[in-house]
Every structure is written in C-alpha cells, then in structure tokens.
Amino acid sequence: ALLIDAIGGSFIVLLTILIGVIVYAYYADCDPYTNKQIEHIDQILPYFVMEVLGDKKGLPGIFLACVFSGSLSTISSGLNSLAAVIIEDFYKGFMGRQLSDERQGFISKILSVVLGACIMLRTYVVSHLGSILNATLSLFGVLEDPNMGVFVLGFLFPQANRRGALVGFFSSLALQLWMFLGAQITQKQMESDSLPLSIANCSGTMNSTLMNWTTTTMISTFLK
C-alpha cells in the first residue's frame, strides 16, 4: 500500500510540476500577476484556464468541477478516517471502552463535524502563509514527518517501545514547529528566489476580452 501510494503521489507531483512549467512558459513574456491582471499568485491557474479555454463552452466549468470534486472527496475521506482513528485507537484502544454500532456511528458524525470546523479555522492560519502550495507543504511537513519517523522506528527497530516512540514523536514535532515558526518569522527578511518574469509583450492584452472587469472580478471572487 505504501509503495502504491508513493508511486501515485510521485505521479501527481510530476503532473503538478508540468502544469507549472507550462503556465510559466505561456506567460514568460506577459506575467499577469506582475501586470496586475490578477490579485494573488494562486489565481494564475484559473486565469490560464479561462484564457486558453474560455471560448470552449463547458470546459472551464468541467475544470472547476474537477477542482471542487477533488478537494471535497479528499477532505471528506480524511475527516472520516480521522474520526475512525480517534474512535478505534483512542476511545476503544487507549481508554478501553466499547460502543454499540449505532452510538459509534453517531459519535463518528459528531467528530467529523468538529474536525471539519477545526479545518475551517485552520484556513485563517493558511491565509497568512503566502501561497497555497507553500502553506500546504509547510503544514504537511510539520505533521507528517513525526509520523513517518514513528513508522520507520517500528520497521527498523522492533525492540523500540512506546515510551521511545512517544519521545521521538514529540521531539520531532517540536523541532518541526520550531523550524516552521522560524521560517514564518524570518520569511520577510529573506530574499525569495524566483524565475525571471516579464511584461514586455503585455501591450496587446489590455484590449483582450479576458481583461474586462467582469472576468477579473469573477476569478478574484472565486478564489477569495
């Protein structure tokens, strides 16, 4: 399962990189963010889709539907998994209590709602971390690296006990949080390396239909 997940994850990352390369090459001489055609850098992909496929009826809608469906399916499956882990591993396993199927289903639904509310509150934190990609990778690294360390410890060192695993987990989590918070505090003091951008060939785009107020407002409203 881990091997399949690694292969699938690598394929998704490769596709993401290819999309970024294509968008950068397309806007190499007319960057819409530098030219103030979009307000946030995360709007570049929807803007690209609207510019390339805007005249193809239905295709922009399919793109947005895929974005929403992919996000909702990932979030819903994650919430259900977290609720199941809390009930099985903590409530039943750690606390040693038993539940009927009906009550377990009810508690699982309540936990899903509570966890969903926590995720919505976390979006406030994400909004202050720069782009969505940077925020996702940062939070993923903080939370997933300690878990990976515990799994590797169990695979390679069968003699490890619970106390050692807990000490390693919380030590790794503290180190990751220290690095994460330090990066957020000092990010304004550090120069960001980025590929060169140009607006040399943007003179003709001001009269494009994609530059009208309606389209720009629609994209901005959708991503806010």
Side-chain angles (χ1 to χ4, degrees), residues 89-90 92-96 150 153-154 157-170:
D89 293 346
F90 288 92
K92 289 184 177 181
F94 185 74
M95 301 178 65
V150 173
L153 178 67
F157 302 96
Q159 67 274 18
N161 54 27
R162 178 188 299 181
R163 180 176 299 178
L166 288 176
V167 170
F169 175 83
F170 286 109

Side-chain angles (χ1 to χ4, degrees), residues 26 47-61 63 210:
Y26 187 84
Y47 187 86
F48 172 76
V49 172
M50 290 298 299
E51 183 169 351
V52 175
L53 302 177
D55 58 338
K56 308 294 191 302
K57 294 183 179 180
L59 288 182
F63 169 77
L210 290 172

Side-chain angles (χ1 to χ4, degrees), residues 131-149:
S131 66
I132 295 177
L133 178 61
N134 291 336
T136 302
L137 294 177
S138 299
L139 293 176
F140 182 83
V142 170
L143 300 176
E144 291 298 325
D145 289 350
N147 290 329
M148 185 64 182

Side-chain angles (χ1 to χ4, degrees), residues 9-213:
S10 300
F11 180 71
I12 293 175
V13 171
L14 178 61
L15 289 179
T16 305
I17 294 173
L18 290 176
I19 292 173
V21 171
I22 292 172
V23 173
Y24 177 78
Y26 187 84
Y27 291 118
D29 296 329
C30 182
D31 177 43
Y33 180 70
T34 306
N35 201 37
K36 306 301 182 182
Q37 296 171 233
I38 56 177
E39 297 180 1
H40 304 284
I41 194 64
D42 294 323
Q43 298 174 349
I44 187 70
L45 183 58
Y47 187 86
F48 172 76
V49 172
M50 290 298 299
E51 183 169 351
V52 175
L53 302 177
D55 58 338
K56 308 294 191 302
K57 294 183 179 180
L59 288 182
I62 293 176
F63 169 77
L64 295 180
C66 291
V67 172
F68 278 113
S69 62
S71 302
L72 292 176
S73 63
T74 302
I75 293 174
S76 62
S77 60
L79 291 177
N80 291 331
S81 299
L82 286 174
V85 167
I86 292 174
I87 293 175
E88 294 294 334
D89 293 346
F90 288 92
Y91 193 81
K92 289 184 177 181
F94 185 74
M95 301 178 65
R97 298 184 180 182
Q98 298 298 323
L99 293 171
S100 62
D101 293 340
E102 181 178 357
R103 186 166 182 80
Q104 181 173 337
F106 176 76
I107 294 178
S108 178
K109 294 177 182 178
I110 296 298
L111 287 174
S112 297
V113 173
V114 173
L115 292 171
C118 293
I119 292 177
M120 293 180 64
L121 292 175
R122 199 176 69 174
T123 57
Y124 174 77
V125 179
V126 173
S127 64
H128 295 277
L129 300 182
S131 66
I132 295 177
L133 178 61
N134 291 336
T136 302
L137 294 177
S138 299
L139 293 176
F140 182 83
V142 170
L143 300 176
E144 291 298 325
D145 289 350
N147 290 329
M148 185 64 182
V150 173
F151 277 103
V152 172
L153 178 67
F155 288 148
L156 301 181
F157 302 96
Q159 67 274 18
N161 54 27
R162 178 188 299 181
R163 180 176 299 178
L166 288 176
V167 170
F169 175 83
F170 286 109
S171 299
S172 176
L173 182 61
L175 179 61
Q176 293 290 332
L177 286 174
W178 174 70
M179 296 173 62
F180 172 73
L181 295 176
Q184 297 306 313
I185 294 173
T186 60
Q187 65 177 350
K188 294 183 179 180
Q189 305 173 9
M190 301 173 60
E191 295 183 359
S192 177
D193 295 330
S194 59
L195 295 174
L197 301 173
S198 173
I199 57 174
N201 294 331
C202 288
S203 58
T205 61
M206 297 302 294
N207 295 325
S208 173
T209 55
L210 290 172
M211 283 299 299
N212 59 44
W213 181 88

